[in-house]
Amino acid sequence: MKLVFATNNNHKLQEVSQVVGEKFDITSLKECGITEDIPENEPTLEGNALAKARYIYSRTGLNCFADDTGLEVEALNGEPGVRSARYATDGHDDTANKRLLLERMEGVENRTAQFRTAMVLIIEGKEYLFEGIVRGRILHEECGEGGFGYDPIFAPEGYDCSFAQMSAQEKNDISHRGIAVRKLAEFLQNAIL
Ligand code: ITT
């Protein structure tokens, strides 16, 4: 089955392809000739994932899915959450975002946080929602070179290292996005195949 993944983030595309690339033919927006930014102005992760998937479905008419992900920090009342991409600036400035979060967490003892992914699938116009959560903690400094976004400052529960110190496979095995996309794949296999 062919599925368009409605993302402009190549890291996400790689992660998802690694998990379900053998089961489905994952097509990128680039391959569909779509280069513009997709609007993400909703107040929730679910709303943004739905908006991205609907945008691509109406542009292409192809079965597709989208994810919106946020890092939710307990001591910051769930921030940066849905504003994770634009936490420090209007753009996607990962370096500034990580710096601001570490600043806000200075002297804060409760480091508990979670990554949460809302993933929306549209098949023949029908919409389905899946969620993936990984709990963990915010580190005191950046560790590791791998991954992307906030990965260097997040350590999943039960691990001493950050997501950025793990292999892509190790991250996928336990991550928010890995969990959500495996649920999506299982749903499709049971429902259609
Ligand atoms: P698309 O909307 O095109 O899919 P994006 O990078 O804007 O790409 P999100 O809105 O879901 O994706 O991302 C929100 C922010 O969270 C952004 O700063 C990402 O770098 C970060 N992020 C998302 N998934 C992450 C992950 O698995 N690890 C670390 N940071 C992540």
Side-chain angles (χ1 to χ4, degrees), residues 71 76 80 84 87-89 93-106 111 138-142 149-153:
L71 178 57
L76 302 178
S84 292
Y87 190 39
T89 69
D93 187 338
D94 286 346
T95 306
N97 286 339
K98 283 179 286 185
R99 195 183 310 131
L100 179 61
L101 186 54
L102 287 178
E103 260 170 46
R104 298 246 159 111
M105 292 298 285
E106 257 169 37
R111 317 287 300 181
I138 303 298
L139 298 171
H140 290 273
E141 58 184 15
E142 292 193 34
Y150 294 91
D151 280 344
I153 60 171

Side-chain angles (χ1 to χ4, degrees), residues 46-104:
E46 288 76 9
N48 276 334
L50 188 60
K52 287 191 257 189
R54 280 183 179 165
Y55 182 93
I56 293 307
Y57 189 70
S58 67
R59 278 278 261 110
T60 65
L62 298 170
N63 293 330
C64 63
F65 66 104
D67 97 47
D68 200 39
T69 294
L71 178 57
E72 299 173 335
V73 182
E74 198 170 271
L76 302 178
N77 299 316
E79 282 208 350
V82 71
R83 294 178 53 245
S84 292
R86 284 149 288 141
Y87 190 39
T89 69
D90 275 349
H92 279 64
D93 187 338
D94 286 346
T95 306
N97 286 339
K98 283 179 286 185
R99 195 183 310 131
L100 179 61
L101 186 54
L102 287 178
E103 260 170 46
R104 298 246 159 111

Side-chain angles (χ1 to χ4, degrees), residues 174-186:
I174 57 168
S175 80
H176 44 299
R177 184 166 300 102
I179 292 167
V181 78
R182 278 191 293 273
K183 284 182 187 171
L184 180 155
E186 198 178 330

Side-chain angles (χ1 to χ4, degrees), residues 10-138:
N10 282 328
H11 297 283
K12 286 187 180 181
L13 188 63
Q14 274 168 17
E15 287 187 359
V16 160
S17 300
Q18 193 177 42
V19 179
V20 294
E22 281 175 11
K23 295 184 180 128
F24 305 106
D25 176 5
I26 305 286
T27 307
S28 68
L29 291 184
K30 211 166 158 195
E31 287 168 290
C32 297
I34 296 175
T35 50
E36 72 265 25
D37 268 348
I38 310 171
E40 300 185 44
N41 302 318
E42 300 301 322
T44 61
L45 297 176
E46 288 76 9
N48 276 334
L50 188 60
K52 287 191 257 189
R54 280 183 179 165
Y55 182 93
I56 293 307
Y57 189 70
S58 67
R59 278 278 261 110
T60 65
L62 298 170
N63 293 330
C64 63
F65 66 104
D67 97 47
D68 200 39
T69 294
L71 178 57
E72 299 173 335
V73 182
E74 198 170 271
L76 302 178
N77 299 316
E79 282 208 350
V82 71
R83 294 178 53 245
S84 292
R86 284 149 288 141
Y87 190 39
T89 69
D90 275 349
H92 279 64
D93 187 338
D94 286 346
T95 306
N97 286 339
K98 283 179 286 185
R99 195 183 310 131
L100 179 61
L101 186 54
L102 287 178
E103 260 170 46
R104 298 246 159 111
M105 292 298 285
E106 257 169 37
V108 177
E109 257 179 51
N110 176 9
R111 317 287 300 181
T112 305
Q114 64 181 24
F115 272 115
R116 192 163 73 83
T117 289
M119 192 169 271
V120 169
L121 169 72
I122 304 187
I123 297 284
E124 313 300 343
K126 290 203 184 110
E127 298 165 348
Y128 305 91
L129 174 67
F130 305 90
E131 186 184 59
I133 292 178
V134 60
R135 295 196 165 74
R137 65 183 198 283
I138 303 298

